[in-house]
């Protein structure tokens, strides 16, 4: 993730740092993560659910059972939100350490379809469809997300991340993120990043872990989707962290900032 400090020097929060930041296991163990282990095929999802059916089912597994069900009922057929989905603090829309249902659904579909979709998170979606989907999700109405184009879901997820007040990584911590990235040794840098992450509110850490898990799965198939960790960071980075005074920046300064954390790095 390309970020800009107050000294106008760009630094990089790379995929390795972020994976360590959220305490991901080694690649040999990461397959054990319920989300990652079940993203290879829907058959694997069903098998995993069968094994776990007598145990307490995690949020991800429950969601995947809903998404892979042969029932005609939509995964989001029953409204679950009591407040708007967009432009809300995560603490207001996350309950019992659980992400909002539509966001869980979108992340899971992106995990299933993203690895085989070229340009995921990079290609634009139909603007009318984007606005209509956001309005439907904001109203809490039922939406069959499985039937929608995956690029549309990716764009709406970026809109959701961008709408979080203070951003997912908290602009209040911007300088601390920059300070952590400035550490010379990799060991010191990783430890500093983890310390900053620990200061995030619990809902933010929850979404961060799930988001990075999905991005990890997508990056592993970059030969097909053309979206390696660097490209994903360029597309996602500006939506999860920005300077606290971003709204007060001049148009020219904003354009310069976007060039450093966004598409200008392609």
């Amino acid at each position: 993730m390309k970020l800009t400090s107050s000294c106008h020097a760009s630094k990089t929060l790379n995929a390795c740092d972020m994976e360590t930041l959220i305490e991901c296991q080694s690649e040999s163990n990461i397959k054990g993560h319920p989300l990652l282990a079940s993203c290879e095929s829907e058959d694997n999802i069903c098998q995993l659910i069968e094994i776990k059916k007598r145990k307490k089912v995690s949020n991800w597994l429950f969601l995947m059972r809903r998404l892979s069900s042969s029932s005609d009922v939509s995964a989001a057929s029953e409204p679950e939100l009591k407040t708007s989905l967009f432009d809300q603090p995560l603490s207001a829309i996350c309950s019992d350490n659980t992400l909002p249902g539509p966001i869980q659904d979108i992340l899971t579909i992106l995990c299933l379809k993203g690895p085989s979709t070229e340009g995921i998170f990079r290609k634009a979606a139909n603007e009318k469809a984007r606005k209509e989907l956001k309005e439907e999700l904001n109203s809490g109405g039922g939406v069959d997300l499985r039937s929608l184009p995956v690029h549309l879901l990716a764009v709406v997820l970026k809109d959701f991340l961008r709408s979080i007040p203070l951003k997912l990584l908290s602009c209040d911590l911007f300088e601390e993120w920059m300070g952590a990235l400035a550490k010379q040794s990799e060991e010191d840098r990783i430890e500093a990043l983890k310390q900053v992450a620990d200061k995030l509110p619990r809902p933010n850490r929850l979404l961060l872990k799930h988001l990075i898990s999905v991005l990890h799965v997508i990056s592993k198939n970059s030969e097909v989707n053309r979206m390696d960790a660097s490209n994903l960071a360029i597309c996602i980075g500006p939506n999860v962290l920005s300077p606290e005074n971003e709204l007060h920046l001049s148009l020219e300064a904003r354009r310069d900032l976007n060039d450093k954390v966004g598409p200008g790095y392609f």
Side-chain angles (χ1 to χ4, degrees), residues 38-207:
S38 55
C39 284
E40 295 178 359
S41 69
E42 294 195 11
D43 289 337
N44 287 350
I45 296 175
C46 297
Q47 293 172 7
L48 185 57
I49 292 173
E50 182 64 25
I51 294 172
K52 297 285 187 179
K53 66 181 180 179
R54 295 184 181 276
K55 299 180 181 180
K56 181 179 180 180
V57 181
S58 69
N59 291 329
W60 277 112
L61 293 178
F62 174 69
L63 178 59
M64 288 178 184
R65 179 169 59 187
R66 291 162 60 195
L67 287 174
S68 60
S69 171
S70 59
S71 171
D72 292 332
V73 179
S74 166
S77 60
E78 296 183 5
E80 297 178 358
L81 294 176
K82 297 181 180 179
T83 60
S84 300
L85 180 64
F86 293 83
D87 301 304
Q88 299 289 332
L90 288 176
S91 59
I93 56 177
C94 295
S95 60
D96 299 324
N97 200 33
T98 303
L99 297 174
I103 299 305
Q104 292 186 46
D105 290 351
I106 290 174
L107 286 170
T108 301
I109 295 171
L110 289 175
C111 184
L112 289 168
K113 299 182 178 181
S116 60
T117 303
E118 183 174 348
I120 190 68
F121 287 113
R122 179 168 55 83
K123 292 186 177 180
N126 179 274
E127 184 62 19
K128 180 181 178 181
R130 169 178 164 270
K131 290 182 178 179
E132 290 178 349
L133 177 56
K134 289 179 64 176
E135 290 176 359
E136 291 174 345
L137 293 176
N138 238 5
S139 68
V143 182
D144 184 4
L145 295 171
R146 291 171 295 179
S147 66
L148 299 178
V150 66
H151 284 297
L152 174 60
L153 298 181
V155 168
V156 168
L157 178 62
K158 288 198 297 183
D159 284 347
F160 172 75
L161 293 172
R162 188 163 51 248
S163 78
I164 298 173
L166 300 183
K167 300 293 182 67
L168 176 61
L169 296 184
S170 183
C171 64
D172 289 341
L173 299 174
F174 184 84
E175 294 302 330
E176 294 189 46
W177 287 114
M178 295 300 99
L181 292 170
K183 300 293 182 182
Q184 294 301 310
S185 74
E186 181 178 2
E187 182 179 353
D188 290 343
R189 185 165 59 253
I190 291 173
E191 182 59 32
L193 288 170
K194 292 171 66 176
Q195 290 179 7
V196 180
D198 286 340
K199 297 181 180 181
L200 291 171
R202 188 174 182 180
N204 294 55
R205 296 199 305 270
L206 176 66
L207 177 55

Side-chain angles (χ1 to χ4, degrees), residues 174-264:
F174 184 84
E175 294 302 330
E176 294 189 46
W177 287 114
M178 295 300 99
L181 292 170
K183 300 293 182 182
Q184 294 301 310
S185 74
E186 181 178 2
E187 182 179 353
D188 290 343
R189 185 165 59 253
I190 291 173
E191 182 59 32
L193 288 170
K194 292 171 66 176
Q195 290 179 7
V196 180
D198 286 340
K199 297 181 180 181
L200 291 171
R202 188 174 182 180
N204 294 55
R205 296 199 305 270
L206 176 66
L207 177 55
L208 177 61
K209 289 181 179 181
H210 288 316
L211 175 63
I212 295 297
S213 294
V214 173
L215 297 180
H216 176 87
V217 174
I218 292 173
S219 69
K220 288 298 181 182
N221 205 35
S222 60
E223 291 185 1
V224 174
N225 56 53
R226 307 299 181 188
M227 296 298 291
D228 57 18
S230 177
N231 286 342
L232 288 169
I234 290 169
C235 293
I236 298 297
N239 302 298
V240 298
L241 182 63
S242 61
E244 189 172 5
N245 65 342
E246 181 185 23
L247 295 178
H248 303 290
L249 295 176
S250 66
L251 180 60
E252 182 179 354
R254 287 191 190 187
R255 188 176 296 123
D256 181 61
L257 179 61
N258 289 336
D259 284 343
K260 291 180 178 178
V261 298

